[in-house]
Amino acid sequence: MIPFVAEGVLSPPFEDPILIFGLAMVVFLTAPLVLARYRLPGIVGIILVGAAIGPNGLGLLERDATIQLLGEVGLIYLMFVAGLEINLNRFVENTDRSVVFGLLSFVVPQGVGTVVGVYLLGLTVPAALLFASIFASHTLLAYPIVNRLGLAKNEAVMTTIGGTILTDTLALLVLAVVIAAEAGVLDAAFGGRLAIGLALFFVGVWIVVPRIGAWFFRTLNEESYFEFLFVMVVLFACAFLAELVGVEHIIGAFLAGLVLNRLIPETGPLMNRIEFVGNALFIPFFLLSVGMLVDVRVVTESSASVVIGGSLIVMVIVTKVAAAWLTGRIYGYSSDEVLGIFALSVGQAAAALAIVGIGFDAGVPGFDQTMINGVVLMILVVSLVSPAAMERAGRGIASERERAPYDPSEAPQRLLVPVSSAADHAERLLDVALLVRNPRTEEPIRTLSVVRPGEDAERDVADAEERLSRLGRYASGAEVAVEGQTRVDYNVASGIVRAAVENRITTVVIGWDGARSRRQRVFGDVIDQVLRRTKQLVLVARVREPLNTTDRIVVLLPPEIEHNAGFPEAIHTVNRIAEATGAALLAVPVSEGDEEFDRLLAAVEPEVPTEVQGVPDWAGLLALLRDDVRKRDLVVCVSARRDAMGWHPQLQTLPKSISTLVDGDFVVVYPASGARADDRRFLQLS
């Protein structure tokens, strides 16, 4: 016996919680790294190691209540992240595709499985229905690969994720109906209670949670771990409520992700924290838990288990391939996207185990230990097939995405965020920069503070450095590099302009407090000088509230601004904000030609849902700002520099009018000019 080690601590199965957790951490660290050397998905490694060290392998760990709890949490978390990461606008637009795939992915396996169960396996019709529902459902085992490759916004992937909810719901409804029939309680009251409960749950969550979330994020004065805790409360509350109304908790988790989607920007620190915790801890525990279910010995225990397992494997692969192929043919998806649909939908774990376990406990004919062994064998095979197929499909989809029109010869996007010593909302200004930042760029965001020389210059420089350091720590939560620069200059505007030239800046994001100054023409002496002396795209922002609580973006378009050479880039920037926040776009041109603006705005990527509502003149524009703009709207005015195409004398006083008429946030966008006048790369070249 090792000195100072209690007897039995090192004897398998391990019971010491520290040893168990430490061993799990070793698995999460090493398994993906080892398999990466052989170009295999890391999640396969965690599943295989789970099978090796679990109760059906070396017996180092038991699949006890703790492992099961963490595994359930991991699955819930996985579905939640899937709901958060999809493009909600496109998801809503393409809901019909998710419905079609969900029905195909359920009906084809359910039909084939029922026929096989009755005529080949000799099951009763209720038992055959339950047998088919085992593989009619699916679990997104391969979603971590989607996450890693950044494919959550691919249309085929979104279709599959949305279809998962319908497929699993229908499969679990089959389970509920069969069990109710076996218990003799299947009547009209049962169906009525289930329908009413589901309706109240979906409508209640969709209406209540966004309002609570918007209130919370507006009330919380600073970004902190309380935001993460609030998100966790919403997640598990929705999952629990889903169980209360009779559906699986993963449905509630996915719905929680959807309703919080617009409140959690994909580029912000909060989203990074959510993904970090999930990828590092909860989701690996789910994969480990799945692996510990696998028992390779079922192959040798009985020929009946092999027959059942083989039948399930063949049927799940054939029917899911058929559903993916049919969906691809209907909507014109590429071969890689069809393979991705199959890879995501062929995974089996939680729902399959729930169905076979409940059927076994309820005494459904044919649902014995042999059936359980066959399901476990199926899980073993598809746990290897699903991630491997998704890795291959994902790389093909990602390669196709990289071949999309994009001119790498253009100067990379470089952002500059000047911050004054009086800035009270510097973090909000940085949020704007994070939203408009091109996700393809590896350039850091440059922050700048210009200090005037004088007796206290050294102290002011030290204060400026501390201020920029805080911004750097804030942005690090979103895994975006920030380079802080401090300059000493008698003229603040000159310091900003020199920094823009020296760093080859393409986009300047600068804050305005809305106050009138003695030397003001448009904004004030400093900002007016910066606009006169630069040619870059400039965003002048007054942002006080969290942008993730924005309901709508109202875009003001002056007469003839569409003829400005930098107009496509300016609209591209606005579209990026809309896409990141999930807010709807209302374009308000001072023009009668709504149809022309419909065409122009639709031609700029990324594509976002846009409504065009023109006003006849400037008076109509001011009336709209006064009467129709709400506090949770973000007003964006696409303006123009003096003497540039689209400039009008009214633009000189419009920012002040906006600050007076609008209670919420607003941004004035000045398109780039000169050397950056060719903005065709922002158009949809399809």
Side-chain angles (χ1 to χ4, degrees):
M1 177 177 169
I2 301 176
F4 309 114
V5 176
E7 185 177 356
V9 168
L10 297 180
S11 300
F14 302 137
E15 298 181 356
D16 182 74
I18 296 176
L19 182 57
I20 293 172
F21 202 83
L23 181 59
M25 294 300 104
V26 172
V27 172
F28 301 162
L29 172 66
T30 58
L33 291 176
V34 171
L35 264 71
R37 295 175 61 88
Y38 301 98
R39 297 188 176 182
L40 293 173
I43 66 174
V44 173
I46 298 176
I47 293 172
L48 289 176
V49 174
I53 67 175
N56 301 314
L58 299 175
L60 300 182
L61 296 180
E62 288 287 350
R63 193 172 183 270
D64 58 12
T66 302
I67 296 294
Q68 292 181 47
L69 169 65
L70 292 171
E72 286 293 302
V73 170
L75 176 59
I76 292 170
Y77 207 96
L78 181 69
M79 293 300 297
F80 174 65
V81 172
L84 275 184
E85 290 192 331
I86 66 174
N87 184 317
L88 191 57
N89 287 325
R90 291 184 61 191
F91 176 75
V92 172
E93 283 184 351
N94 298 318
T95 301
D96 59 320
R97 303 191 174 204
S98 294
V99 171
V100 169
F101 168 71
L103 289 174
L104 288 172
S105 190
F106 171 77
V107 171
V108 174
Q110 187 70 39
V112 172
T114 302
V115 171
V116 170
V118 171
Y119 293 103
L120 295 184
L121 301 179
L123 300 174
T124 64
V125 173
L129 288 169
L130 200 59
F131 170 77
S133 69
I134 292 172
F135 60 91
S137 66
H138 55 257
T139 302
L140 297 177
L141 278 177
Y143 187 79
I145 296 172
V146 171
N147 189 307
R148 174 167 54 83
L149 296 177
L151 303 177
K153 289 180 172 56
N154 177 268
E155 185 179 291
V157 171
M158 286 193 295
T159 296
T160 310
I161 294 170
T164 298
I165 300 306
L166 180 58
T167 299
D168 283 4
T169 300
L170 292 173
L172 293 169
L173 286 176
V174 170
L175 170 64
V177 170
V178 171
I179 297 303
E182 288 292 322
V185 296
L186 184 60
D187 52 21
F190 170 82
R193 287 194 303 271
L194 186 60
I196 293 172
L198 285 173
L200 289 175
F201 168 68
F202 279 102
V203 174
V205 170
W206 198 262
I207 292 175
V208 174
V209 172
R211 285 170 168 75
I212 295 175
W215 170 83
F216 178 85
F217 286 115
R218 284 179 175 272
T219 303
L220 192 68
N221 292 324
E222 58 182 27
E223 180 271 337
S224 70
Y225 64 88
F226 289 110
E227 292 181 334
F228 178 81
L229 294 177
F230 171 77
V231 169
M232 292 299 98
V233 169
V234 171
L235 164 60
F236 289 102
C238 290
F240 176 70
L241 289 174
E243 288 188 323
L244 281 184
V245 300
V247 295
E248 196 67 15
H249 47 53
I250 59 175
I251 310 298
F254 182 75
L255 187 61
L258 288 181
V259 298
L260 289 178
N261 185 291
R262 286 175 170 160
L263 295 173
I264 304 177
E266 61 175 329
T267 55
L270 179 57
M271 187 64 174
N272 184 59
R273 289 190 179 111
I274 291 170
E275 290 185 333
F276 175 81
V277 172
N279 293 333
L281 190 63
F282 290 138
I283 295 174
F285 263 115
F286 162 64
L287 300 172
L288 182 69
S289 175
V290 170
M292 293 173 72
L293 289 168
V294 173
D295 187 356
V296 181
R297 292 173 297 183
V298 300
V299 178
T300 61
E301 280 186 354
S302 69
S303 58
S305 295
V306 175
V307 171
I308 295 293
S311 301
L312 286 167
I313 292 167
V314 170
M315 285 187 291
V316 72
I317 291 177
V318 170
T319 56
K320 296 300 184 182
V321 164
W325 181 81
L326 287 170
T327 305
R329 285 297 298 268
I330 293 171
Y331 296 114
Y333 293 140
S334 68
S335 58
D336 285 323
E337 288 174 325
V338 170
L339 179 59
I341 293 173
F342 161 74
L344 278 174
S345 61
V346 78
Q348 300 291 331
L353 286 169
I355 291 169
V356 72
I358 293 172
F360 177 81
D361 293 337
V364 176
F367 278 69
D368 51 15
Q369 189 61 47
T370 300
M371 181 71 74
I372 293 177
N373 289 343
V375 171
V376 171
L377 179 60
M378 175 193 67
I379 290 173
L380 168 62
V381 173
V382 299
S383 294
L384 303 178
V385 171
S386 176
M390 190 66 239
E391 186 79 24
R392 179 174 179 179
R395 293 192 180 279
I397 296 171
S399 298
E400 184 66 27
R401 180 185 61 190
E402 292 302 320
R403 290 194 292 270
Y406 178 75
D407 188 359
S409 65
E410 297 288 347
Q413 183 196 48
R414 292 185 174 182
L415 286 155
L416 177 67
V417 182
V419 180
S420 74
S421 59
D424 295 325
H425 303 276
E427 288 83 2
R428 299 287 182 236
L429 203 61
L430 196 58
D431 285 338
V432 176
L434 289 170
L435 291 179
V436 304
R437 182 176 182 266
N438 187 341
R440 296 184 182 185
T441 187
E442 296 182 358
E443 292 285 337
I445 295 176
R446 275 86 172 174
T447 55
L448 173 70
S449 190
V450 180
V451 175
R452 288 188 172 94
E455 294 183 1
D456 298 327
E458 290 189 10
R459 185 192 63 189
D460 293 341
V461 168
D463 291 342
E465 289 177 348
E466 173 58 27
R467 187 164 52 250
L468 298 183
S469 178
R470 287 198 302 271
L471 286 180
R473 291 194 295 270
Y474 176 80
S476 66
E479 291 190 340
V480 174
V482 170
E483 288 185 1
Q485 301 178 12
T486 304
R487 288 174 172 268
V488 178
D489 201 309
Y490 283 101
N491 187 305
V492 174
S494 295
I496 295 173
V497 173
R498 289 194 186 101
V501 173
E502 292 169 5
N503 292 281
R504 292 189 297 149
I505 296 300
T506 62
T507 306
V508 179
V509 181
I510 192 167
W512 182 50
D513 58 10
R516 180 175 295 277
S517 65
R518 183 172 55 86
R519 301 176 63 183
Q520 176 174 351
R521 285 178 176 267
V522 182
F523 296 100
D525 188 44
V526 172
I527 299 178
D528 288 350
Q529 284 191 60
V530 170
L531 289 171
R532 286 198 305 270
R533 298 166 60 184
T534 59
K535 296 181 178 181
Q536 292 91 342
L537 174 70
V538 176
L539 282 73
V540 182
R542 188 193 75 179
V543 180
R544 301 291 181 266
E545 303 291 342
L547 288 171
N548 58 327
T549 61
T550 300
D551 283 340
R552 182 178 62 165
I553 298 177
V554 181
V555 186
L556 311 182
L557 301 170
E560 299 187 352
I561 191 64
E562 69 274 19
H563 301 305
N564 190 302
F567 178 74
E569 182 184 17
I571 296 300
H572 166 79
T573 302
V574 177
N575 286 358
R576 278 207 49 78
I577 297 175
E579 184 181 50
T581 59
L585 266 182
L586 172 63
V588 184
V590 184
S591 167
E592 300 288 353
D594 289 5
E595 296 80 6
E596 177 67 13
F597 275 96
D598 272 330
R599 183 187 62 80
L600 289 172
L601 298 175
V604 181
E605 60 87 24
E607 185 178 355
V608 295
T610 304
E611 176 189 353
V612 179
Q613 178 184 324
V615 293
D617 50 31
W618 293 103
L621 181 66
L622 297 178
L624 181 140
L625 289 173
R626 181 179 59 251
D627 301 332
D628 296 342
V629 172
R630 303 180 293 268
K631 184 174 177 59
R632 288 173 59 178
D633 289 341
L634 171 65
V635 175
V636 178
C637 175
V638 181
S639 189
R641 292 171 168 88
R642 180 183 287 273
D643 298 329
M645 182 63 70
W647 186 83
H648 189 278
Q650 189 75 27
L651 293 175
Q652 193 161 292
T653 58
L654 185 58
K656 188 62 184 178
S657 298
I658 297 174
S659 70
T660 303
L661 297 171
V662 173
D663 292 332
D665 300 332
F666 68 85
V667 179
V668 183
V669 180
Y670 288 86
S673 59
R676 287 176 52 83
D678 183 4
D679 286 290
R680 288 172 295 177
R681 65 188 180 283
F682 299 108
L683 301 179
Q684 310 235 19
L685 305 176
S686 57

